[in-house]
Amino acid sequence: MAIPPLKPRDVAVVGEIFADHIFTGFPHWPRPGEEVIARNYVRELGGGSVNTACGLSRLGRRVRLVGLIGDADFDWFEGRLAAFGVGMDGIRLEQEGTGITVSVSMRDDRTFFTYPGANRGLPDLLAMPSVIADLAAARHVHFAMPLSRELASSTLPLLRAAGCTLSLDVGHSPDWLRDPANVATCREVDLFLPNATEAELLCGQAGAEAYVAWALDNGLPRVVLKRGEQGAVAVAGGVSSHVLPPAVEVVDTTGAGDAFNAGLIDAWLDDELLGSALERACICGALCSTAAGALAALPHSPPLRTLREQTYRS
């Protein structure tokens, strides 16, 4: 159940922040030792925390972004985030450089090469009482990072006590996903948000049915599975839902899962039933993929509502 809007912010998003270098328009996947030429290149802010925070702000939510960047990138981040209505108050500066991700993106999939950079300091950041207090000032806290079991055990109860609802997207973190200790963290958040590849690492089997069975057997309060062009699946209160995304011209799938998260959290804050919330989430994910980079095509609420009516109500 969503919390009445008595707090100064709707959502705090905390997690990894990157400078993304996105290459698209390849004729085919490069083979080992082969050079292929990209048709397009974009340098953009990235990381699940940035993408989700900007997506939520675009949808009209009051958002605090919490994370770490290199001090040399302050001006770039400040200017770019301001375009989405996201401030820098929750960003700490590190001497170590901002994390870097190189994305090689095709129409149907993508591959990432990543340098963590300043993100290595996130565990220490989340151990600071002032940061916990900052997060607790939001109705909902979204973690876009592989939250260690130790950090989850110390942090999540404090946020629960402050009346926050919680969501988690650990991204492609094989060690985290294979560690049985982290199943408890999946249970302790309201929304755990893996994609199909991550779900397979968790449950050891491919397919939506296998993951749903695993999640229910392990006591997750709700089940959500992102399936890319096959849409998304959710189970809550014994009710199963499967929603397909709208048909769009895909340019770059970088950040589509984070945009999905933003749409789902936005619907969660409106107290929508989870099955219905998937519609909003799938539209956000689909529209995000219509431009290069994770931020350029994040939707505002009016076009989202229009496309929702055209896709799911006509």
Side-chain angles (χ1 to χ4, degrees), residues 194-201 205-207 225-227:
N195 64 24
T197 300
E198 295 150 9
E200 183 177 350
L201 289 169
Q205 299 180 65
L225 177 62
K226 298 179 282 190
R227 305 181 69 205

Side-chain angles (χ1 to χ4, degrees), residues 140-141 143 156 159-160 164-168 188-191:
H140 182 89
V141 180
F143 292 88
L156 300 185
L159 297 175
R160 283 287 189 205
C164 304
T165 56
L166 307 168
S167 56
L168 172 65
E188 290 165 358
V189 297
D190 297 285
L191 299 168

